[in-house]
Structures are given as structure tokens and as C-alpha cells.
Amino acid sequence: ENSSFRGMWGYDRPLGGDTHLGIQGYYEQILDYGAYQSSLAPGQPERKELRQLYTLRLTRWFQYQTLQVSLFTYWSPSDEDYYLRFFIEKKLTDAMALAVGTNVFGGTYDWTLFGSQDYNDNVYLRARYSF
């Protein structure tokens, strides 16, 4: 693994009322990229010199904060892949909650983080009891 420069930024804030927004960016630049390219085995996929990842989370609460609706997105323009998660949770009591959600993966290449999961989209139902 070559040396790399990595950086991250984030921003998180309430948008008013019961709505919340969070965003993040991540950057990774391979140093001495020519040495990296010359060390690749034949047929091995080549990473880009600059990798970028962005996330966005938008959350809204309803019904006295007993109903939560949330969207989380991941997008990498350099890897050309994405991940979407939509989630709804209802607190029935202080101890019991029901949730339904979906995970959607996709990408151009089958060797990237979420592109490799392209056929693993799913919908789930969860019941949680806390004590």
C-alpha cells in the first residue's frame, strides 16, 4: 500500500423543528501514483489517484418524536457507486419499537465497495424490545 493523504470534513445541524441534516466528505489521494500503477498485477483493477466519498443523512421526527423517518445516502463519484438506506421507526412504548427499511446498493464496477453488492438490495422489518 502506497502512502496516501486523507482528509475528511463534516457538517451537522438541525434545520428547524424536528428535522436534522448531516453531510460528510472524505478524500484519499495516493502519493507516488506512478509507483502504484507499476506495481499492479495483470488484470487487477486500478484505483483512481483521488478517491472521493460523500454521505448525506436527513432525519425527521413526527408525533412527539415517536415516529422517525430517515434517509441515508452514500455516493462515490470516483468509484461510481452508491448506497441508499430509507428507514421508518415507530416507538410504540418506551420499551417497544417497530421499524421498516430498505437498503439499495449499486455501482458501475463489481469490484467497488457498494458496486459489488449491487444484487443485494433488501427490505427489512424489525421489532425491538429494550429493557
Side-chain angles (χ1 to χ4, degrees):
E1 184 79 17
N2 281 33
S3 296
S4 62
F5 172 79
R6 299 172 189 209
M8 182 176 219
W9 59 267
Y11 183 73
D12 192 61
R13 80 171 267 137
L15 294 179
D18 291 329
T19 305
H20 199 88
L21 172 71
I23 57 175
Q24 288 182 321
Y26 171 81
Y27 304 95
E28 180 179 330
Q29 182 173 4
I30 298 174
L31 302 177
D32 197 6
Y33 192 68
Y36 163 75
Q37 288 176 309
S38 64
S39 69
L40 283 175
Q44 184 177 359
E46 182 177 333
R47 291 177 23 202
K48 294 186 178 173
E49 183 176 5
L50 177 63
R51 184 172 183 224
Q52 304 169 50
L53 314 166
Y54 300 100
T55 65
L56 176 130
R57 180 184 301 273
L58 185 60
T59 303
R60 172 92 174 150
W61 287 273
F62 300 93
Q63 300 176 352
Y64 304 103
Q65 295 190 349
T66 60
L67 178 65
Q68 177 186 5
V69 178
S70 181
L71 172 67
F72 174 80
T73 63
Y74 162 101
W75 174 58
S76 175
S78 55
D79 289 349
E80 299 178 35
D81 65 354
Y82 63 90
Y83 166 57
L84 306 170
R85 179 179 181 218
F86 183 71
F87 174 78
I88 298 173
E89 181 180 60
K90 174 67 177 166
K91 292 182 181 178
L92 302 174
T93 68
D94 286 341
M96 184 68 176
L98 295 176
V100 63
T102 183
N103 294 296
V104 178
F105 304 92
T108 304
Y109 308 106
D110 62 0
W111 50 267
T112 61
L113 180 62
F114 293 119
S116 65
Q117 304 299 315
D118 198 13
Y119 299 103
N120 290 324
D121 299 347
N122 60 72
V123 175
Y124 62 90
L125 178 64
R126 180 185 77 202
R128 177 179 284 176
Y129 178 76
S130 305
F131 54 92

